Amino acid sequence: MLALLLGVATALPARAQLKPAPTAARVATTRLAPKPAPTPAPKLAATTPARPAAKPAAPAKPAAPAKRMAPAKPVAPTPPLPAGLGSADQNLRYKNGKILVEQGRYALAMQELEPLTLPAAKFERAPEAAYLYAVAASRAKKWAEAEQMINLLRNRYPSWAGLPEALFLQSQVSFEQQDYDNALKVLNSLQAGTLAPERANMEAAYLPRIAEKGTFQRLLKDYPQDAALARTYADKLVGGGWYTAADQGQLDQLIGQFGLNRNAYTPRLGAAKKSSYNIGVLLPFEFNDPSWEKRRRNQFVTDLYAGLRLAQDSLQREGHPVQLFAYDTGADTIQLKQLLTLPELAGMDLLIGPVYKSGSKILARYAQQHQIAVVNPLSQDGSLVLDNAWHYLFEPSTATQARQAAQFAYTRLGGPRTAVVLYEDTNDEEAFGLAYKQAYEALGGKVLQLRSLKSDDEASLAAGFAGIDLKTIGHLVVASDNPKSGVYTLSALRVQNARPPLITYASWLTNNRLSLDQLDSRDIYFLNPKYLDRTNAGVRRVRQLYTQQFNLPPSVFTYSGFELLYYFGNQLHQYGAAFQQPLANGGPVSGAVFQGIGYPEGAHDNQYVPITKLERLEVEVLNPVGFR
């Protein structure tokens, strides 16, 4: 039965994979000095990363390793209703209720199951019927009905073998209603070791959402042996800006009782607001290799740093000065580890970088130990920022993009609440597909098929679409940047004369195999985290300043560097170096150049994902900041 529970209520966080940055050769450690005055034509030196004369293309995504794909299964586009609804045959009603839950028809399932739960029915499987009713109510977000049924189940059938799963569901229902006391009370009533991994995942998902210090203190008093509660509160004290000198005694007690790392849970001194902040930038500049090939491959790093420099100038003019200290990490972890032995790094107020996954993990541990916030500028790997109050992703993770897309589809697309999700056979897109299914079904929708495909293989593309009636599904999701996937998808829709809404990546807009007319003529919605409105004043200003200095237009990496430093530089000046809790208390805000940025409810990756659509050949943002 626990399998039925996986999609109930709000989906727990999914782990995504990093999209690898371009590889680079190993070079010796080089340190950069603080930023000098900008010059119109920077030269390659130890103080400023150089820009080649010609603008190269953005780094290409490496090809994913091939893996065997299971044969596609035919799909029934709209499952028929089970026969005999409302039957006097109790066993048939129970069977039909179970089928309706699996189909995502939760209201019908509740109608079918409720009579079986009444004492007068004397149904031998009444506990199972009550549990399925509660599952259906939870998936439909009918919290009161779900909780009432679980309470009846507990009172009438206290010896039922499936009661632990019902209690687990009740805890999640209470968490969703922010009834934290009851949620923990129910969880702690479970026998030690019962559903231990599921319980740990639930507490990790919901406890960080508690926004009041007093609520935590009350819960700790009532549940003094709850290790997850204690650890989350310690994280809030040290990493969330809640700490005061009066908290030291309780913090020491939690460290001793639960074996927490004292170095990681020692509040940082000197976190008060300052007139200027020091920021370490750790990127693979690789100055020891001046070859044209290396400079061309590393252009994205040069562009990123140039954007940081432009933001530094803007902050200076606005009276929010920051000092940049740039360090060349090279392409391996050896150089990064050498840099982290420098005493000066421990005194930084913020760290930016690096770009490779192995280095990101090392720097994240360093930041946690020294209590310095670190922002990864390019990664979309949500797993990097789990259980670390000091580590942030500038970009939305793959899983966050999937969840935002699922929310948009469920609330804005209308029609049948069914979907088919196809994803490219890579780690990133697989994580996207799984997260989308989990989030969409938690809302009450149904993913009829979740399939992988390899777009460079015509047979794999054909198998991915095999047996799918595209005319009857609610919407189609194609998570693939491969140009061939876009061409094949539109061809498949045309062959079937089908026009379901389609959700995909913004890279389709730059696919030279597809015309804008083709994309405009259908209901296609693009996940567009890096969408730039060229009429925006901030975008025009960055373009002007960059072009004046380098005689070339900026790349998207330049805009990323600018937005990152401008946003977090302002956070430093507004809240000081321990800005985590103010970030968690706010919502997404409009960016200086991008559409939005924000880390609400304790998120550590950007939670705003622009969703765009072509309207009369113009890109329109359908979910601007502040719109729900």
Side-chain angles (χ1 to χ4, degrees):
M1 289 186 185
L2 191 58
L4 286 169
L5 202 55
L6 297 180
V8 173
T10 299
L12 303 183
R15 297 174 73 89
Q17 299 295 321
L18 172 65
K19 293 191 175 181
T23 57
R26 171 180 172 182
V27 297
T29 304
T30 302
R31 181 183 163 200
L32 295 178
K35 168 193 178 279
T39 57
K43 298 180 180 180
L44 187 63
T47 55
T48 307
R51 179 177 184 84
K55 178 85 172 175
K61 186 189 294 184
K67 65 181 182 182
R68 181 176 298 175
M69 186 183 71
K73 297 179 181 179
V75 56
T78 303
L81 287 170
L85 292 182
S87 171
D89 184 336
Q90 293 180 327
N91 288 313
L92 179 59
R93 286 191 78 123
Y94 174 78
K95 179 181 177 181
N96 286 343
K98 188 174 182 179
I99 292 172
L100 290 167
V101 170
E102 293 171 351
Q103 291 180 347
R105 291 165 162 151
Y106 304 124
L108 282 176
M110 292 166 67
Q111 292 176 19
E112 195 76 355
L113 292 166
E114 185 175 19
L116 305 179
T117 68
L118 301 175
K122 297 181 179 179
F123 179 47
E124 62 180 5
R125 304 191 69 181
E128 288 89 341
Y131 175 74
L132 284 175
Y133 176 97
V135 168
S138 299
R139 290 187 178 179
K141 296 193 174 184
K142 297 181 180 294
W143 310 121
E145 290 88 338
E147 187 150 26
Q148 182 181 24
M149 184 59 71
I150 296 172
N151 283 330
L152 291 174
L153 175 60
R154 294 175 64 181
N155 292 330
R156 292 177 187 167
Y157 310 102
S159 59
W160 178 53
L163 193 60
E165 293 174 15
L167 294 175
F168 184 83
L169 174 57
Q170 184 173 34
S171 177
Q172 190 170 14
V173 169
S174 294
F175 271 127
E176 284 290 342
Q177 298 178 94
Q178 298 183 9
D179 186 354
Y180 301 112
D181 183 73
N182 191 63
L184 291 177
K185 180 180 179 181
V186 174
L187 273 188
N188 281 276
S189 70
L190 292 172
Q191 186 175 357
T194 302
L195 301 176
E198 292 81 4
R199 171 177 172 169
N201 288 336
M202 181 181 290
E203 290 192 288
Y206 286 103
L207 291 177
R209 300 184 186 182
I210 302 175
E212 296 80 25
K213 186 176 181 180
T215 300
F216 259 114
Q217 292 174 331
R218 177 174 52 79
L219 292 173
L220 278 169
K221 183 178 179 181
D222 293 338
Y223 307 99
Q225 303 304 318
D226 192 312
L229 180 66
R231 185 170 55 253
T232 307
Y233 182 59
D235 288 339
K236 292 277 191 177
L237 286 177
V238 176
W242 286 5
Y243 177 82
T244 67
D247 296 309
Q248 188 59 54
Q250 186 179 25
L251 183 57
D252 287 338
Q253 182 263 322
L254 295 176
I255 291 171
Q257 180 180 353
F258 296 99
L260 304 180
N261 185 321
R262 185 167 291 278
N263 290 332
Y265 287 97
T266 299
R268 183 184 181 187
L269 300 177
K273 293 170 67 173
K274 303 190 300 186
S275 59
S276 180
Y277 291 89
N278 296 329
I279 299 175
V281 181
L282 291 84
L283 296 174
F285 297 106
E286 302 199 60
F287 291 134
N288 287 5
D289 185 351
S291 67
W292 170 252
E293 293 79 9
K294 177 61 65 179
R295 293 169 63 190
R296 184 178 181 86
R297 191 191 308 177
N298 259 25
Q299 186 63 50
F300 76 103
V301 177
T302 305
D303 289 354
L304 182 68
Y305 186 67
L308 296 173
R309 294 276 299 278
L310 291 175
Q312 182 185 22
D313 291 341
S314 294
L315 289 167
Q316 178 73 36
R317 288 193 297 270
E318 295 172 9
H320 296 159
V322 297
Q323 302 302 315
L324 294 182
F325 296 84
Y327 301 83
D328 186 358
T329 64
D332 57 41
T333 60
I334 295 175
Q335 285 186 231
L336 176 60
K337 291 175 180 177
Q338 291 173 350
L339 287 174
L340 296 183
T341 65
L342 297 174
E344 65 208 62
L345 275 179
M348 294 293 170
D349 299 299
L350 179 71
L351 299 173
I352 296 173
V355 297
Y356 304 115
K357 184 170 183 176
S358 56
S360 295
K361 292 180 177 180
I362 293 171
L363 186 58
R365 288 194 297 269
Y366 177 90
Q368 188 174 45
Q369 291 166 1
H370 293 80
Q371 296 176 27
I372 307 170
V374 58
V375 184
N376 187 300
L378 300 179
S379 176
Q380 295 180 0
D381 185 351
S383 70
L384 291 175
V385 294
L386 291 176
D387 302 322
N388 190 334
W390 300 92
H391 196 189
Y392 289 88
L393 302 184
F394 172 64
E395 300 206 13
S397 69
T398 304
T400 290
Q401 293 182 52
R403 288 191 289 268
Q404 296 294 332
Q407 177 71 47
F408 177 86
Y410 189 82
T411 58
R412 302 282 298 276
L413 293 187
R417 297 285 175 80
T418 58
V420 168
V421 180
L422 308 177
Y423 60 87
E424 196 67 33
D425 190 9
T426 67
N427 288 336
D428 293 320
E429 276 60 57
E430 181 178 19
F432 180 99
L434 292 173
Y436 192 96
K437 175 178 170 63
Q438 185 182 42
Y440 191 66
E441 293 190 340
L443 291 167
K446 179 67 175 177
V447 173
L448 302 175
Q449 284 289 316
L450 177 64
R451 298 181 181 178
S452 67
L453 48 82
K454 288 183 277 204
S455 296
D456 288 324
D457 182 350
E458 188 79 13
S460 175
L461 278 171
F465 282 86
I468 300 176
D469 186 346
L470 297 171
K471 290 184 290 187
T472 56
I473 62 174
H475 67 279
L476 175 66
V477 180
V478 180
S480 173
D481 284 319
N482 191 304
K484 294 180 181 179
S485 67
V487 175
Y488 195 95
T489 298
L490 295 190
S491 174
L493 290 169
R494 185 173 61 254
V495 167
Q496 293 195 30
N497 193 26
R499 304 188 65 85
L502 169 63
I503 296 175
T504 189
Y505 294 155
S507 58
W508 286 32
L509 291 167
T510 55
N511 184 351
N512 57 17
R513 302 184 185 187
L514 301 173
S515 71
L516 291 181
D517 285 330
Q518 284 179 287
L519 300 176
D520 195 354
S521 64
R522 292 182 174 274
D523 289 331
I524 304 180
Y525 303 89
F526 304 98
L527 301 180
N528 210 339
K530 294 301 182 187
Y531 171 67
L532 291 165
D533 180 356
R534 302 294 174 177
T535 66
N536 176 276
V539 174
R540 288 189 284 109
R541 181 59 175 163
V542 170
R543 182 181 178 89
Q544 178 188 27
L545 292 173
Y546 187 89
T547 304
Q548 286 174 353
Q549 291 191 35
F550 303 114
N551 297 317
L552 288 169
S555 74
V556 69
F557 296 104
T558 305
Y559 290 109
S560 290
F562 183 92
E563 187 77 89
L564 189 161
L565 184 60
Y566 190 80
Y567 178 81
F568 282 97
N570 276 305
Q571 297 299 317
L572 286 169
H573 276 277
Q574 188 170 0
Y575 303 113
F579 51 69
Q580 288 93 328
Q581 193 56 42
L583 234 60
N585 291 339
V589 297
S590 296
V593 293
F594 291 119
Q595 289 295 298
I597 184 171
Y599 302 84
E601 297 183 354
H604 281 251
D605 64 311
N606 184 9
Q607 295 294 291
Y608 177 68
V609 182
I611 297 175
T612 61
K613 187 177 185 296
L614 278 179
E615 294 289 353
R616 295 178 294 278
L617 301 182
E618 296 290 335
V619 177
E620 177 181 329
V621 179
L622 302 181
N623 61 332
V625 170
F627 180 84
R628 292 292 182 270

